[in-house]
Amino acid sequence: MKGLSAYLIALAALAGLVVLAFAVGRYPISLSEFVGLLLSKMGASHRDLAPNVETVILQVRGPRVLAALLVGASLAAAGTAYQGMFRNPLVSPDILGVSSGAALGAVLAIFLSLGAFLVQMLAFAGGLTAVGLVYWVGSRLRGHDPLLALVLTGVVIGSLLGSMIALLKYLADPYNQLPAITFWLLGSLASIAPRDLAIAAPLALAGLAPMLLLRWRMNLLALPDDEARALGVDTARLRTIVVTAATLMTAAAVAVSGIIGWVGLLIPHAARLLVGPGFGRLLPLAMLLGAAFLLAVDTLCRTLATIEVPPGVLTALIGTPFFLWLFALSRRSW
Amino acid sequence: MRPPVFLFFTVLIHGISFAQLPIVDATGREIRPPSKVERVYAAGPPASMLVFAIAPDRLVGWTRAFRPDEGQFVPPRYAALPELGRLTGRGNTANVEVVLRAKTDLIVDVGSTGATLASLATQVQEQTRIPYALFDGRIESTPATLRALGRLMGDDASAETLAIWYEKELNEARERISRVPAAARPRVYYGRGPAGLQTGGRGSINVEVLEFLGAQNVAAEAHAGLVTVPIEQILLWDPEVVLTTDPDFWRLAWTDARWRAVTAVERKRVFLSPHLPFGWFDFPPGANRLLGIWWAGRLLYPAAFDIDLRAKVSEFHRLFYHQAPTAAQLDAMLGEPGVLPR
């Protein structure tokens, strides 16, 4: 069965990548040290371990690997849901303004010289607020196709938020705040600490869980409203749930990682190529692939050079040719 | 009749030639200042600071208004000068008409002297017909820049006094640094940003103080600009001293488990640069960084830098900001957590 083999391959790739991601990094840790740490954590006799081994594995790589998995899965799931719901292959998770809203929140916090925690909180709140605003305005534009109204409102408000970010960059102190804003907007998993994960993971899972539970019904969202209603499904309500869930996980992801493009656009296409457009099978695979893709990219980001490579740059470098290749490959309608 | 006419022309020619005596700025552009410079617009904070130090009454305004906690360090009438925005190529906020309306005779900028900024200066000069001079902002160039600005503004004497004093301070610092053998120079990491992961490599303007001090910048091999480095790389470098300008990072370094293994944290040698009214260590990249040299020198080489930091700060403030700080202000500046070892 085609779907099953795709799942097995994706799972195996993901497992391999996780092991690899723990094994490599700027700080050299040998396999025996790694195994020694695992054994000591499992209650085996305490062998002499360099104190940095535990710090690097548990405090640095561990949270970063988990964050890459979480952010990758969230962006891919949100992208899959939106591409299905909007019946549009060019849609990515930020179509309703979640990234622009989060970016404005973070930039405002940096501009006001607030601390790192408040930067994350304002980013998360900004993402939710932006989508709330888009949804509210979009649902009040009567006499249009509701999905079209939503997309247009998202684009328009997204660009408004973009101009507000531009204004804050312009007013920011060029020596300190402006570089901080630039670094945030580039996106990075470099500063992930266990605490960040403790906040972001529950929020992202709170979005992922309902989406996974509802995935079999989400195919109906691709139908026109009246047809779905004829089948006894309240599409407006289902849509609200999907948008809320997608926003929750994307906002949580962006709050800790900054903006990382391409994952939410590219991965759903790759998954669809493997298992077809049916949501029930598509969504879990997209999540696996998204997690694996971002983990691979982030592992490259932190190992390629002495300095960090911005993940958005790598996702675009890998994503552009891959996307074009996929597009050339797939003849059937997505 | 003839002698007076002759005299008249002599004076006229002399006057003209004096007014048009060109001065070459750091980009090689010839600047012809008016015979009497009254009002100077400084295009960025490092330039404001030097113009203010040489002739505070000629400064037409600041690029950014003082915040409440900053304004107390300069005499009130100067703290109240208007905010005019900056014009230095990295995100201009000044409106050329505002610069004109301020009846500016001369525009000066101090900092990078690359081709982009030189062409910006030429363009603004052609547009406004106000001479626009650029000077080098490096710490080592500060005495020369002070002298050039003084000549341009017709304030040679006060500029010379400042230049001689600044040179003396730099020489004293150099002499003290030379007493420190290479082996006694600690490995230093300069961390910026809320997580402390941004740093500057060799040649980066952000670590000029560190390079002046001849300290070992662990990130020297990184890119010569501001970059993010992985925390694993910092663990591998294992700096003995960490300096920062970010209070959030300074607090984080003590509580975050990832930093606990760094020698600087173990030895309680993570220090936070003072920032009022202008930062000491990194930004703005101006003459203010002399205080960064004394501060970081004392932290890195305590034996060679057995200086009276309070006196150094007072003297710099008195000469460059025209107001010596009060004892309470000094206490606040140096007593902020992280500024000095306890």
Side-chain angles (χ1 to χ4, degrees):
Chain A
M1 185 185 147
K2 190 184 169 194
L4 188 65
S5 60
Y7 270 102
L8 290 178
I9 292 167
L11 263 176
L14 187 62
L17 276 167
V18 169
V19 172
L20 183 72
F22 269 105
V24 299
R26 299 305 299 177
Y27 197 95
I29 287 178
S30 68
L31 193 64
S32 69
E33 282 175 315
F34 183 46
V35 174
L37 177 74
L38 285 186
L39 289 177
S40 79
K41 285 290 142 189
M42 283 189 258
S45 62
H46 225 70
R47 285 202 300 156
D48 276 341
L49 279 173
N52 275 356
V53 172
E54 186 169 340
T55 304
V56 169
I57 296 295
L58 297 183
Q59 300 288 335
V60 178
R61 283 184 205 166
R64 201 162 166 173
V65 167
L66 289 178
L69 298 176
L70 190 74
V71 171
S74 297
L75 293 176
T80 308
Y82 280 175
Q83 284 181 6
M85 188 171 110
F86 291 108
R87 300 162 221 152
N88 186 328
L90 288 176
V91 162
S92 61
D94 47 358
I95 186 75
L96 297 183
V98 62
S99 303
S100 327
L104 181 60
V107 170
L108 183 68
I110 295 169
F111 181 76
L112 297 174
S113 302
L114 303 179
F117 178 69
L118 283 173
V119 171
Q120 282 180 3
M121 288 298 106
L122 252 67
F124 183 68
L128 295 192
T129 311
V131 176
L133 186 68
V134 167
Y135 207 71
W136 183 76
V137 173
S139 62
R140 253 147 201 77
L141 296 174
R142 305 260 175 226
H144 298 280
D145 170 34
L147 287 176
L148 183 67
L150 211 50
V151 170
L152 274 180
T153 315
V155 169
V156 172
I157 290 188
S159 96
L160 173 72
L161 297 171
S163 70
M164 286 157 84
I165 293 169
L167 176 69
L168 289 177
K169 283 172 82 172
Y170 176 71
L171 294 175
D173 161 41
Y175 301 113
N176 191 25
Q177 291 172 341
L178 196 55
I181 290 172
T182 309
F183 282 122
W184 194 92
L185 291 176
L186 270 176
S188 174
L189 293 170
S191 60
I192 294 288
R195 193 199 62 181
D196 302 319
L197 212 56
I199 297 168
L203 293 169
L205 294 177
L208 285 168
M211 209 177 261
L212 275 174
L213 292 175
L214 288 171
R215 69 185 191 276
W216 298 105
R217 299 174 72 183
M218 277 164 65
N219 288 325
L220 298 168
L221 281 176
L223 296 175
D225 275 11
D226 43 354
E227 282 181 38
R229 213 168 294 126
L231 291 171
V233 173
D234 182 353
T235 42
R237 216 188 93 212
L238 188 55
R239 200 181 297 136
T240 308
I241 295 172
V242 170
V243 168
T244 308
T247 303
L248 205 56
M249 59 182 135
T250 316
V254 175
V256 294
S257 71
I259 293 171
I260 300 175
W262 275 100
V263 181
L265 176 63
L266 178 77
I267 296 302
H269 289 282
R272 212 174 284 118
L273 196 71
L274 292 170
V275 293
F279 230 91
R281 273 187 292 176
L282 182 60
L283 188 72
L285 183 65
M287 286 168 57
L288 283 179
L289 291 181
F293 178 63
L294 193 59
L295 181 60
V297 164
D298 185 58
T299 304
L300 284 175
C301 287
R302 62 186 170 84
T303 50
L304 277 182
T306 310
I307 61 176
E308 289 270 352
V309 179
V313 174
L314 279 188
T315 55
L317 278 177
I318 301 168
T320 310
F322 191 60
F323 188 80
L324 293 175
W325 175 72
L326 271 186
F327 194 69
L329 202 71
S330 60
R331 303 231 180 274
R332 73 192 134 144
S333 137
W334 61 279
Chain B
M1 282 304 278
R2 279 176 72 184
V5 170
F6 175 68
L7 196 66
F8 173 75
F9 272 107
T10 316
V11 168
L12 191 67
I13 289 165
H14 202 83
I16 288 170
S17 67
F18 180 75
Q20 294 193 334
L21 187 75
I23 289 169
V24 178
D25 79 353
T27 63
R29 294 160 59 254
E30 282 193 356
I31 309 297
R32 290 168 193 277
S35 53
K36 190 104 185 78
V37 173
E38 296 284 359
R39 297 176 63 77
V40 181
Y41 166 73
S48 309
M49 222 176 290
L50 293 188
V51 172
F52 176 61
I54 296 169
D57 293 308
R58 303 207 203 288
L59 190 68
V60 293
W62 301 98
T63 50
R64 183 181 67 97
F66 280 110
R67 303 216 171 123
D69 55 343
E70 298 165 351
Q72 52 166 319
F73 290 94
V74 299
R77 66 179 183 284
Y78 301 125
L81 284 173
E83 174 177 83
L84 299 177
R86 56 178 190 268
L87 197 69
T88 56
R90 32 157 102 203
N92 296 331
T93 52
N95 179 326
V96 174
E97 289 189 27
V98 170
V99 176
L100 283 169
R101 210 181 93 183
K103 299 198 178 60
T104 307
D105 308 316
L106 177 68
I107 303 174
V108 294
D109 194 14
V110 171
S112 155
T113 52
T116 315
L117 289 174
S119 62
L120 172 78
T122 305
Q123 182 200 322
V124 172
Q125 183 171 312
E126 280 167 2
Q127 229 178 351
T128 59
R129 301 184 182 283
I130 303 171
Y132 190 145
L134 276 171
F135 295 104
D136 190 352
R138 276 173 298 186
I139 295 171
E140 307 260 3
S141 311
T142 303
T145 294
L146 278 165
R147 290 193 173 100
L149 279 172
R151 204 154 57 239
L152 209 54
M153 289 159 42
D155 289 299
D156 299 74
S158 64
E160 186 61 27
T161 311
L162 293 174
I164 289 173
W165 180 83
Y166 207 91
E167 231 157 26
K168 178 182 71 70
E169 294 288 293
L170 290 183
N171 283 334
E172 184 194 329
R174 286 189 192 105
E175 190 275 318
R176 289 182 184 275
I177 294 161
S178 70
R179 292 184 215 162
V180 186
R185 299 186 179 192
R187 295 193 315 280
V188 185
Y189 173 75
Y190 170 49
R192 282 180 51 140
L197 297 181
Q198 272 108 46
T199 193
R202 184 179 294 122
S204 161
I205 191 171
N206 309 99
V207 292
E208 224 185 303
V209 168
L210 218 48
E211 289 182 359
F212 184 92
L213 285 167
Q216 299 183 53
N217 176 9
V218 293
E221 298 311 319
H223 176 74
L226 213 51
V227 287
T228 306
V229 288
I231 180 100
E232 284 186 37
Q233 185 64 59
I234 298 169
L235 291 170
L236 200 58
W237 284 329
D238 196 23
E240 294 158 282
V241 178
V242 172
L243 302 178
T244 184
T245 44
D246 196 303
D248 275 328
F249 167 52
W250 183 80
R251 280 189 291 271
L252 178 87
W254 303 116
T255 53
D256 191 308
R258 295 170 300 167
W259 285 89
R260 207 167 292 150
V262 174
T263 302
V265 178
E266 273 170 18
R267 296 188 190 161
K268 307 221 178 304
R269 301 193 72 195
V270 182
F271 301 108
L272 173 67
S273 162
H275 61 100
L276 292 174
F278 297 106
W280 287 10
F281 186 80
D282 174 356
F283 51 87
N288 45 316
R289 290 173 300 167
L290 177 63
L291 295 179
I293 292 174
W294 293 128
W295 169 73
R298 221 187 105 136
L299 296 172
L300 300 181
Y301 318 134
F305 277 70
D306 53 339
I307 50 166
D308 181 352
L309 192 57
R310 289 174 75 97
K312 290 284 188 200
V313 176
S314 279
E315 184 74 351
F316 179 82
H317 273 241
R318 189 178 65 75
L319 285 168
F320 279 75
Y321 304 156
H322 306 286
Q323 180 183 300
T326 64
Q329 284 173 330
L330 277 171
D331 288 343
M333 242 188 279
L334 296 171
E336 194 180 334
V339 168
L340 293 173
R342 359 215 83 203

